[in-house]
Amino acid sequence: MEDKRILFVSAEVVPYLAENEISTFSYDVPKMVNDLGGQIRIFMPRYGNINERRHQLHEVIRLSGMNLVVNDVDMPLIIKVASIPKERIQVYFIDNDEYFKRKATFTDEEGRMFEDNDERAIFFAKGVVETVKKLNWVPDIIHVHGWMAALLPVYMKHFYKNEALFENTKIVSSVYSSGFEGTLNAGLHQKMLFDDIPESAIQWLNQPGYAQIIQTCIDHSDGIIIASEDLNSDLTKYIESSEKPFLPFVPKDQMQATYPDFYSQILS
């Protein structure tokens, strides 16, 4: 992994959010790549329940200030940054008061999914790409974790398909068993069509449940990692039948022996 550039885009990362499968892997994998001499960046949403003072987040003025269009509305993009203690790893946070100021991640106090989670996912995907463009940092691989980040492969393959910066960038997506009940806002499909995403690319998203979002992510990835030992059989079968290179589940103590080789396979 020496000098390879890997951009990690995750819905959740420790220590900024509670430990779970996604947030833990989204810390462990970048740390491993960093330890092996790779160059990394991590991006995640700046949810309102992240303690900015404790984690020493600060706004990066030179990266903030642009507007992103979501469903024909201009939404201001704010970029914040922090460093994971002792690891010399920078984490970039995609922020917007309308989408991320609330003191929660995905659900309200009653456990109901936020009605605008679909727009938050679109904003996050666009915000990551636009910020990487401003950084002029060309990733060899973009590694996606969690459903909130799962629209990024779609936008990379269509909305940003003509960006020369990403001409040789490959996308790897880790697929987890932890998702959500029900569906996102049914308007997601139309909002993505507004961004000139082809109808054929988002055929699963007329009813955007967790499985449909992940299937769409798989369709637009160059490689898949099964990140949960108990991934449901339907998603496992979809991955196996996708004809994409995929890595079966491996525990943390085997990642260093398997992930770099898989990255190399995707880049070859």
Side-chain angles (χ1 to χ4, degrees):
M1 297 313 303
E2 190 73 31
D3 293 329
K4 291 300 181 187
R5 292 183 169 191
I6 302 185
L7 172 65
F8 293 92
V9 183
S10 181
E12 306 170 75
V13 182
V14 292
Y16 305 105
L17 293 172
E19 290 189 14
N20 59 39
E21 197 168 44
I22 295 173
S23 65
T24 302
F25 266 72
S26 298
Y27 167 82
D28 288 338
V29 182
K31 181 182 182 303
M32 175 200 68
V33 173
N34 195 53
D35 290 345
L36 291 174
Q39 300 180 42
I40 67 167
R41 298 286 189 278
I42 302 174
F43 278 75
M44 67 176 292
R46 204 291 298 179
Y47 306 104
N49 55 347
I50 294 174
N51 189 313
E52 292 198 17
R53 179 174 294 180
R54 179 189 307 154
H55 296 296
Q56 299 182 357
L57 274 67
H58 61 273
E59 184 176 351
V60 185
I61 302 299
R62 69 183 178 87
L63 297 176
S64 300
M66 75 176 79
N67 285 348
L68 306 179
V69 177
V70 178
N71 197 29
D72 205 18
V73 177
D74 282 355
M75 305 299 292
L77 172 64
I78 302 167
I79 302 298
K80 295 176 180 175
V81 69
S83 295
I84 296 178
K86 301 179 183 178
E87 297 300 337
R88 293 184 298 175
I89 294 175
Q90 278 198 321
V91 180
Y92 292 82
F93 296 83
I94 300 297
D95 197 5
N96 169 273
D97 285 348
E98 181 71 23
Y99 289 139
F100 296 113
K101 192 172 184 178
R102 66 202 71 161
K103 300 293 185 181
T105 49
F106 312 124
T107 60
D108 63 19
E109 293 178 354
E110 306 298 323
R112 294 174 298 219
M113 293 283 283
F114 291 124
E115 185 69 16
D116 63 352
N117 274 340
D118 62 326
E119 294 187 9
R120 297 168 91 207
I122 292 172
F123 184 87
F124 181 50
K126 288 184 174 182
V128 169
V129 180
E130 294 295 346
T131 305
V132 173
K133 284 167 57 180
K134 273 198 168 184
L135 289 169
N136 199 31
W137 189 80
V138 185
D140 296 296
I141 287 176
I142 298 175
H143 191 163
V144 173
H145 299 261
W147 66 264
M148 180 64 84
L151 297 184
L152 186 138
V154 186
Y155 275 82
M156 284 290 296
K157 299 293 186 180
H158 297 290
F159 192 79
Y160 293 104
K161 66 181 179 181
N162 295 321
E163 289 286 349
L165 190 73
F166 304 111
E167 182 179 359
N168 298 312
T169 299
K170 302 296 184 182
I171 300 174
V172 171
S173 293
S174 284
V175 177
Y176 296 86
S177 58
S178 52
F180 56 85
E181 298 294 328
T183 65
L184 299 187
N185 189 308
L188 171 62
H189 185 264
Q190 195 61 40
K191 292 165 189 173
M192 294 179 73
L193 290 177
F194 176 82
D195 284 332
D196 293 326
I197 307 295
E199 173 86 44
S200 59
I202 51 175
Q203 58 179 324
W204 300 111
L205 298 183
N206 284 307
Q207 294 184 312
Y210 176 68
Q212 289 74 31
I213 288 172
I214 298 304
Q215 286 172 327
T216 304
C217 179
I218 291 166
D219 290 344
H220 292 85
S221 299
D222 299 298
I224 309 297
I225 294 175
I226 297 177
S228 295
E229 192 170 12
D230 59 345
L231 189 66
N232 79 61
S233 58
D234 288 342
L235 276 177
T236 300
K237 289 175 183 175
Y238 193 81
I239 292 167
E240 292 172 345
S241 65
S242 70
E243 300 185 356
K244 311 270 186 178
F246 75 92
L247 180 67
F249 173 79
V250 295
K252 177 181 175 179
D253 61 0
Q254 296 177 26
M255 285 194 312
Q256 187 166 326
T258 53
Y259 276 46
D261 287 344
F262 186 70
Y263 287 147
S264 296
Q265 179 188 349
I266 300 304
L267 290 171
S268 64

